[in-house]
Amino acid sequence: MVTVRSLLAVAAMFDWELFQMDVSNAFLHGDLLEEVYMTMPLGYSGKGEPVQDIPFDKSKVCKLKKSLYGLKQAPRQWFAKLSSALLSFGYVQSKADYSLFTKKDEEQFTAVLVYVDDLLITGNSETHISLLKEQLKTHFHMKDLGTVSYFLGVEVSKSKQGIFVSQQKYTMDLLKENGVLNCKPYKLPLDPNTKLQADIGTPLADPEVYRRLIEKLIYLTITRPDICYSVQLLSQFMQTPTSIHHQVAKHLLRYLLQAPAQGILLASNSAVELKAFCDSDWASCPMTRRSTTGYCILLGDSPVSWKSKKQNVVSRSSAEAEYRYGFNML
């Protein structure tokens, strides 16, 4: 997602158009490099059309000629075939993120970002982008979705100020699912005096409810850096959550209720330079005495990467906590 936000930020700075394409039955395009066998489907004898009354025969198997959904090799083989096609078109695969492909032809620049079967395409030449679309259609069954408006659950809208990304629909669905739409919203994601521990409260009868909630909140941090610390804190208790942990999670949901459409603006009028900010909260964990650290990286005025994480070891001073995290960033 850092690469997605970075590419969107660059597109906003240079006023590039963003296009999206989708591959139909992507995993079926993969070629198998080894012999793979599967059990016979129910009601199929291997000769002619399927017959419902045929008993299941465990002694018979099918030899796969192409990749199928559910096969462990399927994602790898699909990406290998797509990568080979893009490389044959003259694109170069990024070493920092293998899902990013770029092509520079004199003054023309085109970038393709791949996420399973979704492709995000941008560049300064619509002619080259149209050519790429036609080349892809000759190799795969593609659907041209036009200008990007919804990508990987993220809503994308372009204006004169830049590109605004948010997860409003995702947030509203999450609030509705947890029954807090009619509650009073909170102004802060977490009470400043909250110090969570593992042994406080009553263990939940069904821990899966809490785990599913935290997993969805983690995905929401894609466009909400303001809840990054709170989600990081709550995710430490997914193994044995209690009623107190669930109550704090509900507090966070009521904070989201205040502005469900909040997101980040990738500014158009911005210098192309990286700026990074980091800080540490020394010995903030009451259970382990470990420090909590966080950082935010901006491309110009556009936030592209952020994180909050508890350090792996105990720091003996605030200076050591700051130094340890700064060294890890480098």
Side-chain angles (χ1 to χ4, degrees):
M1 295 309 299
V2 175
T3 309
V4 173
R5 290 189 293 260
S6 300
L7 187 62
L8 292 176
V10 172
M13 290 177 184
F14 294 101
D15 195 25
W16 293 346
E17 290 294 332
L18 289 155
F19 301 95
Q20 183 179 1
M21 297 192 75
D22 179 74
V23 186
S24 301
N25 301 322
F27 289 176
L28 302 184
H29 292 284
D31 297 321
L32 292 177
L33 302 179
E34 59 271 346
E35 290 188 358
V36 180
Y37 297 89
M38 62 173 284
T39 56
M40 296 284 286
L42 292 175
Y44 185 71
S45 64
K47 299 179 180 179
E49 296 296 326
V51 180
Q52 298 296 329
D53 298 331
I54 296 178
F56 181 65
D57 189 354
K58 293 184 178 180
S59 63
K60 294 182 179 180
V61 294
C62 295
K63 180 180 179 181
L64 295 182
K65 295 183 178 180
K66 300 285 288 185
S67 176
L68 287 179
Y69 279 81
L71 194 67
K72 292 182 179 180
Q73 297 93 329
R76 182 187 62 196
Q77 297 306 118
W78 151 242
F79 186 72
K81 188 157 188 177
L82 178 61
S83 302
S84 300
L86 289 172
L87 293 175
S88 67
F89 301 157
Y91 284 79
V92 178
Q93 191 172 21
S94 170
K95 300 301 180 184
D97 189 337
Y98 290 159
S99 62
L100 178 64
F101 297 81
T102 58
K103 182 178 182 181
K104 192 176 189 323
D105 185 8
E106 296 180 354
E107 298 297 325
Q108 313 300 326
F109 179 84
T110 312
V112 183
L113 187 62
V114 181
Y115 191 92
V116 190
D117 58 350
D118 290 309
L119 276 68
L120 188 64
I121 305 173
T122 187
N124 59 2
S125 173
E126 292 195 22
T127 304
H128 281 64
I129 293 176
S130 299
L131 176 62
L132 172 62
K133 290 180 179 179
E134 294 301 322
Q135 289 175 323
L136 288 170
K137 288 179 181 178
T138 59
H139 286 70
F140 311 103
H141 188 265
M142 309 284 293
K143 289 187 292 185
D144 189 350
L145 303 180
T147 306
V148 174
S149 60
Y150 196 78
F151 185 71
L152 304 180
V154 177
E155 298 164 36
V156 182
S157 58
K158 190 175 181 181
S159 65
K160 293 182 179 179
Q161 287 75 31
I163 297 176
F164 182 74
V165 293
S166 66
Q167 294 169 277
Q168 181 178 5
K169 183 181 181 302
Y170 183 86
T171 304
M172 294 302 296
D173 291 342
L174 180 60
L175 296 175
K176 182 179 179 181
E177 179 183 342
N178 289 273
V180 296
L181 284 176
N182 297 322
C183 297
K184 182 180 178 180
Y186 287 134
K187 294 183 178 180
L188 295 175
L190 194 67
D191 191 315
N193 299 319
T194 300
K195 295 291 183 181
L196 293 180
Q197 298 188 41
D199 56 352
I200 58 173
T202 306
L204 295 179
D206 185 9
E208 284 300 320
V209 175
Y210 180 85
R211 292 167 187 162
R212 285 195 298 269
L213 173 58
I214 300 304
E215 287 171 359
K216 293 183 178 181
L217 287 171
I218 290 174
Y219 193 74
L220 188 57
T221 59
I222 291 175
T223 59
R224 297 293 297 261
D226 55 324
I227 66 171
C228 192
Y229 170 75
S230 303
V231 174
Q232 174 269 143
L233 181 63
L234 291 168
S235 63
Q236 299 178 31
F237 307 100
M238 294 179 69
Q239 184 175 2
T240 54
T242 67
S243 57
I244 300 297
H245 304 143
H246 195 249
Q247 182 180 348
V248 176
K250 284 294 187 72
H251 180 111
L252 179 56
L253 289 175
R254 291 175 65 174
Y255 165 76
L256 296 174
L257 186 61
Q258 184 181 17
Q262 184 173 327
I264 56 173
L265 176 66
L266 306 173
S268 56
N269 298 323
S270 178
V272 186
E273 60 178 6
L274 279 175
K275 294 181 288 186
F277 302 90
C278 65
D279 197 7
S280 298
D281 186 6
W282 179 56
S284 59
C285 180
M287 298 178 294
T288 62
R289 305 298 296 168
R290 294 182 186 177
S291 306
T292 301
T293 55
Y295 70 82
C296 180
I297 300 176
L298 294 90
L299 182 58
D301 297 329
S302 306
V304 295
S305 180
W306 51 83
K307 192 173 187 178
S308 177
K309 185 179 180 180
K310 189 164 66 173
Q311 291 186 358
N312 296 327
V313 296
V314 176
S315 299
R316 291 173 292 181
S317 66
S318 58
E320 184 179 339
E322 298 277 359
Y323 174 80
R324 187 184 308 280
Y325 191 62
F327 181 78
N328 288 337
M329 282 189 65
L330 294 175

